[in-house]
């Protein structure tokens, strides 16, 4: 039985200074607000976005780099050592990575928004170095871990995808200036698949095998089925990436079919974990997580429809929204709602004595506002893509921004106690 206290209770020796993971979470919260602002600015073009520098590309990278990657790096550097019982080899590399990755992403995205090749190349180079430092720490921790083989397998798949992802990302930024890639669009599609499904997707699926049972107080998923699920997910990513690079529709369609199998196995394992859990009232965070699972189930079907031309002109954009916004961003925001106060509680003492209560850490009202806004904004933006409506896209962006501000307010309510080391009560 995996419980929160078991997962974190004996883990203080492997905790990083709070400033390390929380700098990534704060950066992700800022990126979340800016993302919806960028969608608002790009509302006229976003429903039919097909690539190319400009505000729409900046919005996509505010999501992938500014929200998803920052959140994943902050969570991974803290949760993976706790889960594997192997502390990071050193703290300074991840601090250095943050000083490369976060400013690098700002410069890269600003370059995309203003169509400035020099900024794009400089930002991509700094981001690449930061992500490679993170990748080295991830690989070192996975190498020393002796348990959880399925989670480690997902971690190694994410590591391999990350290396290919940053290599393609740097090549794409240089290609904007020098034009050496044979097929820029094909490389961009492979970059998106590696980022969304290879790096972020494999981390999300792998960590789910630890986090969902932990939050539901249930047994670990069945290992045999988990291995089948991993094999299907890895095969789908490989087929999709090769198919995108070679522009072979049959390979990409096969990736969708294998992806359906992977999703079915994963969601089956998660359903069993929730059904067998001791904690039945899982709260608002699982409303978001369940919504993300619906989006995950629809993603390979939407991809297949886009590939076959059944989804109309907005099909590719709708697929990107489902995978990146509907599944990954919603899942990460739901998980963050739960792990932020847990991580903070490990660094804070109660002013009146004893361990802090979760109610002492942050105010809950903004989370409700965020959830309502997010669950309206994502479907509304999807409808805007289907209808090719700039007005609807702008409306979705305003609602999404209100939710993002509320989530940022929740995180900000935790920081004073985290900084002082004591709760207010």
């Amino acid at each position: 039985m995996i419980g929160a206290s078991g997962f974190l209770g004996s883990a203080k020796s492997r905790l990083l200074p709070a400033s390390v993971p929380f700098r990534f979470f704060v950066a992700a919260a800022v990126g979340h607000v800016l993302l919806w602002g960028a969608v608002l600015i790009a509302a006229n073009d976003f429903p039919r976005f097909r690539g190319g520098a400009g505000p729409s590309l900046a919005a996509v990278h505010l999501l992938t780099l500014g929200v998803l990657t920052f959140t994943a790096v902050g969570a991974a550097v803290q949760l993976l050592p706790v889960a594997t019982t192997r502390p990071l080899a050193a703290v300074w590399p991840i601090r250095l990575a943050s000083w490369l990755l976060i400013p690098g992403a700002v410069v890269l995205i600003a370059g995309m928004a203003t169509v400035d090749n020099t900024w794009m190349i400089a930002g991509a180079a700094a981001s690449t170095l930061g992500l490679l430092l993170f990748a080295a720490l991830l690989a070192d921790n996975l190498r020393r871990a002796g348990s959880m083989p399925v989670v480690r397998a997902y971690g190694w798949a994410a590591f391999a995808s990350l290396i290919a992802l940053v290599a393609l990302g740097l090549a794409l930024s240089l290609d904007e200036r020098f034009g050496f890639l044979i097929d820029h669009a094909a490389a961009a599609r492979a970059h998106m698949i590696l980022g969304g499904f290879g790096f972020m997707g494999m981390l999300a699926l792998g960590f789910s095998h630890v986090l969902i049972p932990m939050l539901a107080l249930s047994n670990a998923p069945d290992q045999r089925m988990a291995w089948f699920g991993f094999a299907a997910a890895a095969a789908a990513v490989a087929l999709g990436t090769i198919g995108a690079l070679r522009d072979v529709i049959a390979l990409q369609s096969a990736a969708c079919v294998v992806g359906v199998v992977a999703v079915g196995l994963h969601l089956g394992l998660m359903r069993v974990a929730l059904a067998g859990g001791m904690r039945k009232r899982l709260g608002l965070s699982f409303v978001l997580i369940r919504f993300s699972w619906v989006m995950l189930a629809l993603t390979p079907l939407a991809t297949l429809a886009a590939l076959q031309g059944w989804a109309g002109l907005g099909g590719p954009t709708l697929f990107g929204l489902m995978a990146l916004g509907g599944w990954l961003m919603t899942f990460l925001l739901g998980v963050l709602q739960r792990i932020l106060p847990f991580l903070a509680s490990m660094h804070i003492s109660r002013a009146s004595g004893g361990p802090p209560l979760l109610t002492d850490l942050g105010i809950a009202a903004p989370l409700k506002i965020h959830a309502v806004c997010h669950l309206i904004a994502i479907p509304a933006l999807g409808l805007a893509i289907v209808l090719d409506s700039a007005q609807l896209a702008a409306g979705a962006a305003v609602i999404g921004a209100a939710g993002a501000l509320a989530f940022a307010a929740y995180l900000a309510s935790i920081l004073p106690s985290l900084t002082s080391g004591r709760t207010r009560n």
Side-chain angles (χ1 to χ4, degrees), residues 8-12 15 341-349 356 361 418:
L8 293 174
S10 62
K12 284 201 171 185
L15 285 178
F342 271 120
L343 290 178
S345 71
M346 303 301 287
H347 296 276
I348 295 172
S349 300
L361 301 169
L418 197 65

Side-chain angles (χ1 to χ4, degrees), residues 38-63:
V39 173
L40 180 60
I41 293 171
N44 285 332
D45 301 322
F46 193 83
R48 291 290 182 269
F49 177 61
R50 293 290 186 279
S56 292
L57 186 65
V60 171
H61 282 78
L62 277 165
L63 170 58

Side-chain angles (χ1 to χ4, degrees), residues 85-337:
T85 70
R86 296 291 185 272
L88 287 186
V91 177
W92 69 263
I94 192 60
R95 284 195 169 112
L96 177 58
S98 72
W99 285 108
L100 289 165
L101 177 57
I102 297 173
V106 171
V107 173
L108 172 63
I109 294 168
M112 290 173 172
T114 58
V115 199
D116 187 311
N117 290 335
T118 302
W119 282 39
M120 278 193 277
I121 292 170
S127 300
T128 296
L129 290 173
L131 285 171
L132 288 177
L133 271 173
F134 164 69
L137 289 171
L138 177 66
D140 177 67
N141 197 273
L142 291 171
R143 179 183 61 81
R144 290 183 289 119
S147 60
M148 300 189 304
V150 176
V151 178
R152 289 172 57 207
Y154 275 108
W156 281 117
F159 168 81
S161 297
L162 177 58
I163 298 301
L165 166 72
V166 296
L168 269 179
L170 186 60
L172 285 165
S173 67
L174 291 169
D175 191 59
E176 293 282 352
R177 169 69 66 86
F178 302 108
F180 58 88
L181 289 175
I182 297 173
D183 189 339
H184 186 99
R189 286 194 297 271
H191 176 71
M192 185 270 179
I193 291 170
L194 284 167
F197 298 94
F199 172 47
M200 286 302 312
M202 285 296 184
L203 278 184
L205 294 175
F207 272 119
S208 293
H209 288 252
V210 176
L211 289 171
I212 300 304
M214 179 195 82
L215 296 172
L217 298 178
S218 67
N219 290 319
D222 177 82
Q223 291 298 286
R224 187 165 174 265
M225 296 304 292
W227 276 114
F228 282 129
F230 167 74
V237 172
L239 285 169
T241 303
I242 295 170
L245 276 173
R246 302 185 65 178
D247 198 18
V248 178
I249 297 295
L251 280 177
Q252 296 174 74
S253 300
C256 295
V257 174
V258 179
V260 169
V261 176
V263 169
L265 289 168
H266 179 74
L267 295 183
L269 289 170
M270 296 300 104
R271 185 187 65 78
V272 170
L274 295 186
M278 295 174 60
R279 182 179 288 149
K280 299 300 182 186
R281 299 178 64 182
L282 294 167
L284 184 62
S285 61
F286 268 80
V287 174
L288 292 175
I289 289 171
R290 285 190 169 97
F291 177 80
S292 78
W293 285 341
V294 172
M295 292 292 103
L296 171 61
L298 293 175
T299 291
L301 303 177
T303 312
L304 193 58
L307 285 169
Q308 301 299 327
W310 302 333
L313 294 176
T317 313
L318 189 63
F319 145 68
L321 175 70
M322 278 189 176
L324 302 176
W327 168 35
L328 287 169
M329 182 165 71
T330 309
F331 178 78
L332 289 183
L333 290 172
V335 168
L336 267 185
Q337 285 192 19

Side-chain angles (χ1 to χ4, degrees), residues 347-351 415-423:
H347 296 276
I348 295 172
S349 300
R350 202 175 192 200
L415 296 181
S417 295
L418 197 65
T419 304
S420 66
R422 285 190 172 274
T423 64

